[in-house]
Amino acid sequence: MLDKLYLLAALPLLAAATVVPRNGGASAFAGATTTFAWPPPNVTATIPDANFPDATAIDAFGPTPTGDEPAAIATAPVLAPVNDVFPLSRPDTADHKGSKFDVLHQWGNLSPMFSVDADTFGLPHSSPLVPEGCGLTQVHLLHRHGARYPTSSSAPSALAAKVHNATAGKGFTASGPLAFLNEWTYKLGAEILTPFGRSQLYNLGVGFRVRYGELLKGFTDLPVWRTTSEERMIDSALQFAAGFFGVQWYQGDYHQLVEIEASGYNSTLAPYDQCANANNNISSLGGVQSNKWAAIYTKPTIKRLQKLIKGNLTLTSADIIGMQQACAYETVALGSSSFCSLFTEEEWEQYEYYNDLSFWYGNGPGNPAVAAQGVGWVQELLSRLTQKRITTFETSVNSTIVSSNITFPLNQPIFVDATHDTIISAIVTAMNFTNFDVNGALPTDHIPKNRQWIVTHISPFGANLVGQVLSCPASDTPTHIRFILNDGVLPLTGIKGCKADKNGLCAIDTFIKGMQARVDEIDYQYDCFANYTLPNVPILDGRYPPALRRNVTA
Ligand SMILES: *[C@@H]1O[C@H](CO)[C@@H](O)[C@H](O)[C@H]1NC(C)=O
Ligand SMILES: *[C@@H]1O[C@H](CO)[C@@H](O)[C@H](O)[C@H]1NC(C)=O
Ligand SMILES: *[C@@H]1O[C@H](CO)[C@@H](O)[C@H](O)[C@H]1NC(C)=O
Ligand SMILES: *[C@@H]1O[C@H](CO)[C@@H](O)[C@H](O)[C@H]1NC(C)=O
Ligand SMILES: *[C@@H]1O[C@H](CO)[C@@H](O)[C@H](O)[C@H]1NC(C)=O
Ligand SMILES: *[C@@H]1O[C@H](CO)[C@@H](O)[C@H](O)[C@H]1NC(C)=O
Ligand SMILES: *[C@@H]1O[C@H](CO)[C@@H](O)[C@H](O)[C@H]1NC(C)=O
Ligand SMILES: *[C@@H]1O[C@H](CO)[C@@H](O)[C@H](O)[C@H]1NC(C)=O
Ligand SMILES: *[C@@H]1O[C@H](CO)[C@@H](O)[C@H](O)[C@H]1NC(C)=O
C-alpha cells in the first residue's frame, strides 16, 4: 500500500488515484465507550493532488549535503542510555515513598523499553560500546513494536464492561482513591500503536543511526529490513526507518519486506500461527501459572479496595490485574492513569512477577513449545552469519522469502527485523541464554530471591536484541560476536564452546558451531505438533524433555 502511494507520488504523470484511508473505526468490543475515529468519516484523498503538489514536483530543496556517518557505539566515551518517556507522566504509588522506585519499570511487557543496568544479565563490567581494541563489522537488530493499545480481549476492557455495568446500576459509589471510578470511561482502542509507541520506534531508528550509521558504508544495494503485516508492525517498521533515514526519503532508502502474519503462513517473526501447541492448553500454561500467583497476591489488595466501593461491584483477582494493566495502558496511550496510584510498591513488584510467570510458562524457558517457536529466526541468523542459504524447511521459516537474494540478502552490514514480545522471549529461549534459568523454575506462591527472568528487562515495548559482529583486533575479518538485550550485554556461556568473557564475547566460529548444535537439538515438529501433556519435571530450556518422549503425534 505505502509503496504504491510512494510510486504514485513520485510519478505525477500517472492518473490520479483516489485513496480511501484505512479507518479502524470506533472500538467495538466489551467495555469500549468511545465512538471517535480518525480520519473523519467518508474523507478521501487524491494522490497526487494538484492542490498539494509533492515536494519532488516543486523541487526547490536548497542545498542538501549529507555529513559523514556517526558510529557512537564505537566512538562515544560513555553510553547514552534510553531513559526518556516524554510525554508520559511518571506515576506515583499508593505508599508515596517517592524513592528511586519507578512504576514505569514494573509493567513487564507493558513497560516502555529503557536501558537496563550493565549487571542485569550477569556481566557487571560490560557495555554495549564496542570493547577496546575491537572493530565493528556487522549488526543484527531484532526489535519489538512500540507501545500499543491492549490486544482485543484484554483484562482492562473486561474490567471496563464490569465497572460500567455497576456504575449504571443503582446506588454505586466509589470513594477515596477509587472515587475516579464513578466517572471513569474506557477510552482505549485495540492492537495499534499509541502516539508514544510511534515515538519509541522513531527514537530507536534515530538512536540506531547515531550508534551504527557508519556501517551503511558497507552496503552496495538498498537494505532489506523485515516486519510483519499487522498494522502496529508496519507502523513500527516505518517509524524506525523514518528515524533512521529521515521522513522524506526513507521509502527510497531501503526495501521494507512485509511477512504475512496470519494463520496458515510461515513467518519467523510471528511463528505462533503455525505451531499447534502455541494455540492450545500447552500455551495456556502461562495463564494457569500466573493466575495461581494472582489469586495469592491480590487478596489483601481486593480487601483494601473493596472497602471503598458501595454497590454492585465485587472485585476479583482478574479485576486487580485489569486495574494494574489499565494503569500501564492508559499511561502509554493517554499520558497518565488514575489507576496507578491505587497500588503500593510491593503490589507493583507482585504484578511484575505475575508477568514473569506468564512469560516463563507461556512464552519462555518453562514451556515445551517455545524454543521451537524461536528456532526459525535462529536458523536465519546462522544463514546470515555463514552466508549459506537454508535448504531444509521444517520450522516456521518461509522458504519463498529466504531462498531469494532479493528478499533475503545474506551480506548486509545492518539487518533489522521487527517482531513481538513473545517472540523475543522465544528467541532468547531458543538461543539458550542460560543466564535466565540459573535459579530453576519460577515458583507460583512467592517471588524468589535473585530471579533472572524479568520480562521488563526482556520484552518491554520497543525491546531490542542486538547482535554485534566484531573483529578483535580491528580488521575486516569478523572474529567475535556478542548479543545485547535492551542495552544489557548477555553472557553466551549457555552456548556449547563459548567461554566466559567479561564483555560477553564468543569467537564467531565457536558461536556458529554451538548455535548450530542448539538448532539441531530443538525438534520443531515434535514440540509444536505432538499431542503431549505437561511432564512432571521442570522445563528450563523451552523444549519437551527428549528423555520423556513417547511416540504420540497428533
Ligand atoms: C458517510 O457515508 C455514508 C454512506 O454513504 C453515510 O450513510 C453517512 O451519513 C456519511 N457520514 C457522514 C458523517 O457524512
Ligand atoms: C453487564 O450487564 C449485562 C446486562 O445485565 C450482562 O449481560 C453482562 O454480562 C454484564 N457484563 C459484565 C461484565 O458483568
Ligand atoms: C511465504 O511468503 C510469501 C511472500 O510473502 C507468501 O506469498 C507465501 O504465502 C508465504 N508462504 C507461507 C507458507 O507462509
Ligand atoms: C450485579 O452485577 C452482576 C454482574 O454485573 C449482575 O449479573 C447482577 O444482575 C447485578 N445485580 C444487581 C442487583 O444489580
Ligand atoms: C512452511 O512450514 C512448513 C512446516 O515447517 C514447511 O513444511 C513448509 O515447507 C513451509 N512452507 C514455506 C513456503 O515456507
Ligand atoms: C545470489 O546468491 C548467490 C549465493 O547464494 C550468489 O552466488 C549470487 O551471486 C547472488 N546473486 C546476486 C544477484 O546477488
Ligand atoms: C543449552 O543449555 C543447557 C543448559 O541449560 C545445556 O545443557 C545444553 O548443552 C545447551 N545446549 C547447547 C546446544 O549448547
Ligand atoms: C485442555 O483443556 C481442556 C478444556 O479446558 C481440558 O478439558 C483438558 O483437560 C485440558 N488438557 C490438558 C492436557 O491440560
Ligand atoms: C491427544 O491425546 C488424548 C489422549 O491420548 C486424546 O484424548 C486426544 O483426542 C488427543 N488430541 C488430539 C488433538 O489428537
Side-chain angles (χ1 to χ4, degrees):
M1 179 71 170
L2 277 155
D3 278 343
K4 247 181 240 155
L5 290 184
Y6 174 75
L7 279 176
L8 290 169
L11 302 170
L13 295 180
L14 287 181
T18 298
V19 178
V20 183
R22 170 202 50 74
N23 183 332
S27 297
F29 46 87
T33 49
T34 178
T35 54
F36 179 78
W38 185 262
N42 303 347
V43 173
T44 57
T46 303
I47 295 177
D49 181 337
N51 293 310
F52 304 101
D54 187 77
T56 49
I58 293 175
D59 193 18
F61 291 106
T64 58
T66 54
D68 202 349
E69 285 302 331
I73 204 70
T75 59
V78 290
L79 182 80
V82 179
N83 59 11
D84 185 18
V85 293
F86 176 84
L88 313 184
S89 309
R90 179 168 156 179
D92 196 5
T93 58
D95 37 0
H96 311 293
K97 286 192 187 155
S99 57
K100 284 192 201 146
F101 189 86
D102 193 341
V103 177
L104 288 158
H105 292 186
Q106 297 295 318
W107 297 338
N109 61 325
L110 307 184
S111 276
M113 180 264 163
F114 57 93
S115 297
V116 300
D117 293 334
D119 62 359
T120 300
F121 304 122
L123 296 175
H125 304 295
S126 64
S127 157
L129 296 177
V130 169
E132 201 76 38
C134 298
L136 184 74
T137 63
Q138 187 180 54
V139 71
H140 300 255
L141 170 63
L142 176 74
H143 68 78
R144 187 187 178 199
H145 57 75
R148 55 158 166 74
Y149 289 122
T151 46
S152 298
S153 52
S154 71
S157 74
L159 171 74
K162 190 167 161 181
V163 168
H164 293 157
N165 267 8
T167 53
K170 265 191 247 144
F172 181 90
T173 337
S175 59
L178 256 188
F180 74 92
L181 217 51
N182 298 315
E183 311 292 327
W184 178 70
T185 59
Y186 186 75
K187 296 188 165 64
L188 305 174
E191 304 280 352
I192 64 174
L193 291 188
T194 69
F196 168 71
R198 295 202 295 269
S199 78
Q200 284 188 289
L201 266 292
Y202 182 84
N203 288 333
L204 184 65
V206 173
F208 220 68
R209 182 67 176 263
V210 172
R211 286 181 177 184
Y212 294 99
E214 193 162 53
L215 288 172
L216 282 176
K217 294 176 181 173
F219 278 94
T220 53
D221 205 343
L222 296 184
V224 176
W225 292 347
R226 298 188 304 168
T227 188
T228 77
S229 56
E230 279 191 349
E231 164 86 12
R232 65 176 175 277
M233 299 297 296
I234 302 283
D235 217 359
S236 292
L238 294 181
Q239 289 293 341
F240 178 89
F244 192 93
F245 291 115
V247 78
Q248 293 242 17
W249 303 113
Y250 63 89
Q251 289 178 81
D253 282 337
Y254 81 117
H255 296 296
Q256 184 65 62
L257 182 84
V258 179
E259 298 195 351
I260 301 164
E261 174 168 354
S263 176
Y265 292 93
N266 295 5
S267 169
T268 58
L269 306 175
Y272 31 69
D273 283 321
Q274 289 293 74
C275 174
N277 289 336
N279 296 286
N280 59 22
N281 290 26
I282 300 299
S283 70
S284 311
L285 183 64
V288 169
Q289 297 291 73
S290 56
N291 283 336
K292 287 182 192 163
W293 169 239
I296 295 169
Y297 93 82
T298 60
K299 260 195 199 127
T301 318
I302 291 172
K303 211 165 163 191
R304 187 178 82 242
L305 296 182
Q306 192 67 57
K307 283 189 195 139
L308 304 173
I309 297 170
K310 271 208 208 99
N312 186 16
L313 180 65
T314 306
L315 295 178
T316 64
S317 66
D319 297 330
I320 303 302
I321 299 292
M323 289 182 180
Q324 293 192 292
Q325 285 189 0
C327 157
Y329 281 122
E330 287 189 338
T331 301
V332 300
L334 311 174
S336 68
S337 168
S338 302
F339 285 104
C340 299
S341 56
L342 289 176
F343 303 100
T344 62
E345 291 187 10
E346 185 185 19
E347 284 163 341
W348 281 117
E349 277 161 3
Q350 292 166 327
Y351 169 71
E352 182 178 58
Y353 189 57
Y354 166 86
N355 289 295
D356 300 340
L357 285 167
S358 167
F359 271 69
W360 175 275
Y361 289 106
N363 314 101
N367 186 292
V370 163
Q373 291 174 64
V375 76
W377 188 83
V378 182
Q379 290 177 293
E380 292 174 342
L381 171 71
L382 287 173
S383 173
R384 290 161 166 174
L385 290 173
T386 58
Q387 304 286 302
K388 291 200 182 93
R389 291 213 173 263
I390 299 169
T391 51
T392 50
F393 300 97
E394 293 167 346
T395 69
S396 60
V397 171
N398 180 313
S399 62
T400 312
I401 289 168
V402 304
S403 299
S404 155
N405 279 3
I406 295 168
T407 51
F408 198 77
L410 298 179
N411 55 353
Q412 306 192 108
I414 303 174
F415 292 95
V416 179
D417 287 336
T419 188
H420 294 274
D421 50 357
T422 53
I423 303 316
I424 291 184
S425 68
I427 286 168
V428 301
T429 304
M431 290 180 80
N432 224 21
F433 291 138
T434 46
N435 56 293
F436 291 120
D437 58 44
V438 285
N439 294 322
L442 300 189
T444 58
D445 59 352
H446 69 281
I447 305 178
K449 282 210 173 64
N450 305 321
R451 78 188 192 281
Q452 303 300 310
W453 181 262
I454 298 175
V455 175
T456 311
H457 299 160
I458 299 168
S459 287
F461 289 132
N464 50 89
L465 176 68
V466 172
Q468 289 180 340
V469 179
L470 302 156
S471 55
C472 313
S475 76
D476 291 339
T477 313
T479 59
H480 291 82
I481 191 167
R482 63 178 187 159
F483 286 84
I484 298 165
L485 183 58
N486 300 319
D487 285 345
V489 181
L490 291 156
L492 297 183
T493 40
I495 295 144
K496 210 167 272 169
C498 290
K499 299 198 179 74
D501 181 274
K502 71 175 170 34
N503 293 315
L505 295 169
C506 181
I508 192 149
D509 295 343
T510 309
F511 173 85
I512 289 170
K513 251 188 238 141
M515 200 49 79
Q516 189 58 55
R518 176 63 177 160
V519 167
D520 293 344
E521 77 181 11
I522 297 171
D523 189 335
Y524 178 91
Q525 291 298 331
Y526 188 89
D527 290 353
C528 275
F529 298 102
N531 178 6
Y532 49 75
T533 53
L534 290 159
N536 264 335
V537 298
I539 296 176
L540 299 179
D541 82 335
R543 295 187 300 147
Y544 189 88
L548 301 182
R549 277 189 203 176
R550 291 174 301 137
N551 277 337
V552 205
T553 45

